[in-house]
């Protein structure tokens, strides 16, 4: 099973206890439809710093990062499309789904070194959406923020921290995508994986790693 499949399975397992079943199905539909790139980056980051790392070591962090992205991605789509204006009552369910995804993602990252970065990711998203209008491009800095969160979550799992160069590389990668994140295999082709590994520097341990502006 490849990394994307592992992440998807871990994300589904993280919401397996949600009831009722129909609501859980709606949550899993969102998880199934999204790119697994955030969760896969958690895995790749940890592996780049510590080659023997298995998926089990970072499964919780990968799932938490993935769920936060899915929840915020859905929230952004709802804010941009304004489905209520067309009388779409299904959007009410989508709002609850988005809330549960973000909340469960927070729960999974709460006791990790990435917790503060997760909070800042959601706060930044809120600021961006507050300033945006429905006519604005729905794609903003969310992808870059989430990939930075993934980088922090993955590296801190193996007692490493991202250097400024590594964070810049991931930010540039996010900016290279046209719209939402592509499938993980497209986002992280062999060349990109090699470049990521080259940028990972386990010797750099900046203070306050949770901040998006850390060096």
């Amino acid at each position: 099973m490849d990394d994307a499949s592992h992440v998807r399975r871990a994300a589904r397992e993280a919401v397996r206890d949600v009831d009722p079943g129909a609501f859980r199905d709606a949550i899993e539909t969102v998880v199934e439809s999204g790119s697994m790139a955030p969760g896969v980056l958690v895995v790749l980051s940890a592996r780049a710093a510590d080659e023997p790392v298995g998926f089990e070591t970072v499964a919780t962090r990968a799932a938490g990062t993935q769920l936060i992205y899915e929840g915020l991605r859905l929230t952004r789509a709802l804010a941009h499309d304004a489905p209520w204006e067309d009388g779409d009552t299904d959007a009410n369910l989508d709002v609850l789904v988005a809330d549960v995804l973000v909340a469960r993602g927070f729960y999974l990252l709460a006791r990790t070194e990435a917790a503060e970065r997760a909070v800042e990711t959601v706060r930044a998203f809120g600021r961006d959406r507050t300033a945006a209008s429905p006519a604005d491009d729905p794609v903003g800095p969310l992808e870059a923020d989430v990939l930075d969160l993934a980088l922090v979550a993955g590296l801190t799992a193996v007692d490493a921290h991202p250097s400024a160069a590594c964070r810049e590389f991931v930010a540039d990668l996010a900016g290279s995508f046209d719209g939402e994140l592509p499938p993980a295999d497209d986002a992280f082709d062999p060349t990109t994986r090699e470049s990521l590994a080259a940028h990972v520097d386990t010797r750099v341990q900046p203070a306050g790693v949770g901040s998006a502006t850390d060096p």
Side-chain angles (χ1 to χ4, degrees):
M1 186 179 294
D2 61 20
D3 290 329
S5 296
H6 279 300
V7 171
R8 185 175 285 106
R9 183 180 65 178
R12 287 199 306 261
E13 287 294 329
V15 297
R16 190 57 56 88
D17 62 339
V18 173
D19 287 320
F23 183 48
R24 181 175 62 252
D25 290 344
I27 293 173
E28 291 185 348
T29 296
V30 175
V31 173
E32 290 288 345
S33 67
S35 164
M36 296 295 109
V40 168
L41 181 55
V42 175
V43 181
L44 296 179
S45 301
R47 197 173 289 154
D50 188 354
E51 188 173 340
V53 166
F55 181 77
E56 295 76 12
T57 303
V58 294
T60 298
R61 293 167 183 246
T65 303
Q66 188 66 44
L67 293 180
I68 287 175
Y69 177 60
E70 298 297 354
L72 296 182
R73 181 175 68 92
L74 178 56
T75 300
R76 181 177 61 188
L78 291 169
H80 182 262
D81 296 339
W84 297 275
E85 294 180 1
D86 297 327
D88 183 3
T89 57
D90 289 341
N92 296 326
L93 176 62
D94 289 338
V95 170
L96 293 176
V97 167
D99 286 346
V100 169
L101 286 166
V102 173
R104 186 57 58 95
F106 266 136
Y107 174 78
L108 295 177
L109 295 179
R111 297 184 181 276
T112 74
E113 299 89 340
E116 185 178 347
R117 185 67 187 94
V119 171
E120 178 54 30
T121 297
V122 176
R123 285 177 175 170
F125 175 81
R127 291 192 296 268
D128 178 64
R129 287 297 92 194
T130 298
S133 71
D136 289 340
D137 188 336
V139 178
L142 173 60
E143 279 68 24
D145 286 342
V146 166
L147 290 190
D148 188 75
L149 168 61
L151 186 68
V152 172
L155 288 177
T156 55
V158 292
D159 296 323
H161 296 286
S163 65
C166 193
R167 298 182 98 152
E168 183 177 356
F169 169 76
V170 169
D172 288 344
L173 179 65
S176 71
F177 302 134
D178 182 17
E180 294 184 354
L181 296 175
D185 286 345
D186 294 338
F188 303 110
D189 58 26
T191 300
T192 303
R193 292 179 185 229
E194 290 177 5
S195 296
L196 173 66
H199 281 85
V200 169
D201 185 352
T202 60
R203 295 170 297 173
V204 177
Q205 299 187 7
V209 68
S211 171
T213 58
D214 290 337

